[in-house]
Amino acid sequence: PFFKVFTSSDTIGVEVAGAVKNVIAIAAGICEGLGLGTNSMAALVTRGCSEMRRLALNMGASPITLSGLSGVGDTFLTCFGPLSRNRNVGVRLGKGETLDSILSSSRQVAEGVTTAEALVGMLLNQYNGVSLQDSKEINVYATRAAARYPILFGVRAILEGRITPQEGVEALLAMPPREEN
């Protein structure tokens, strides 16, 4: 036997982890595409897992799910595995290709592209009911949400073309030091 099955009754945790890991994988791929090395990628994925945990726990997930195969296990595979569609989108973005060029040349779906928009929209809605269309109010509440989820918001900004992958990394590095949580 080469396959072992584990079960979970934590539907929320499995679903949130399964969605967020795709966005984190795009960010990990960007690190690789920019040539930042494995230490940088490992740090980014670890902080991405913190964002995943924060979001999932706020939605009622179990921390056990997030630290198990459905959480960090699947996230590590998706972020570091050479066959990951989402990671490969990030690699290509980091090397300077446009999202349109990447998507038009791929026959596979990289779910993280649309998931990033959905997650940012959901997070903005959690922060006082702001939607992506509320451009006048978005800056006030987006700042608060983006401070708690800088990788998710950064990937979305890169995918929208508002910032470059290099600018996204610089924005993460420019964040003030704080205690890890």
Side-chain angles (χ1 to χ4, degrees):
F2 296 103
F3 187 76
K4 173 83 173 147
V5 174
F6 291 86
T7 62
S8 175
S9 59
D10 179 16
T11 307
I12 293 171
V14 171
E15 289 181 350
V16 171
V20 175
K21 58 114 174 168
N22 291 319
V23 181
I24 298 169
I26 292 173
I30 289 170
C31 280
E32 183 172 330
L34 289 171
L36 300 179
T38 53
N39 285 340
S40 296
M41 191 184 315
L44 180 125
V45 170
T46 302
R47 295 309 306 155
C49 286
S50 292
E51 292 184 26
M52 175 193 298
R53 177 185 47 80
R54 190 174 302 120
L55 175 62
L57 293 178
N58 284 340
M59 296 177 75
S62 166
I64 293 170
T65 304
L66 304 172
S67 63
L69 293 173
S70 296
V72 295
D74 200 16
T75 300
F76 291 169
L77 175 64
T78 307
C79 290
F80 300 116
L83 300 178
S84 167
R85 300 177 306 269
N86 293 288
R87 179 182 161 278
N88 287 327
V89 165
V91 169
R92 292 174 69 182
L93 285 168
K95 289 184 177 182
E97 289 186 59
T98 66
L99 182 60
D100 286 340
S101 170
I102 295 166
L103 296 178
S104 67
S105 67
S106 179
R107 295 189 322 230
Q108 298 179 321
V109 175
E111 301 92 334
V113 173
T114 53
T115 301
E117 179 179 10
L119 286 171
V120 167
M122 182 185 72
L123 287 165
L124 288 172
N125 193 37
Q126 285 180 354
Y127 281 81
N128 210 18
V130 177
S131 76
L132 288 174
Q133 287 73 39
D134 295 334
S135 59
K136 290 183 181 177
E137 295 183 46
I138 199 166
N139 290 334
V140 174
Y141 299 107
T143 301
R144 189 180 313 155
R148 294 187 50 88
Y149 302 96
I151 296 170
L152 299 179
F153 274 76
V155 168
R156 181 62 193 145
I158 291 167
L159 294 172
E160 288 178 332
R162 289 187 287 121
I163 60 174
T164 67
Q166 184 65 40
E167 290 168 336
V169 169
E170 289 170 4
L172 282 175
L173 293 174
M175 293 181 70
R178 63 185 174 108
E179 188 171 323
E180 188 170 36
N181 58 5

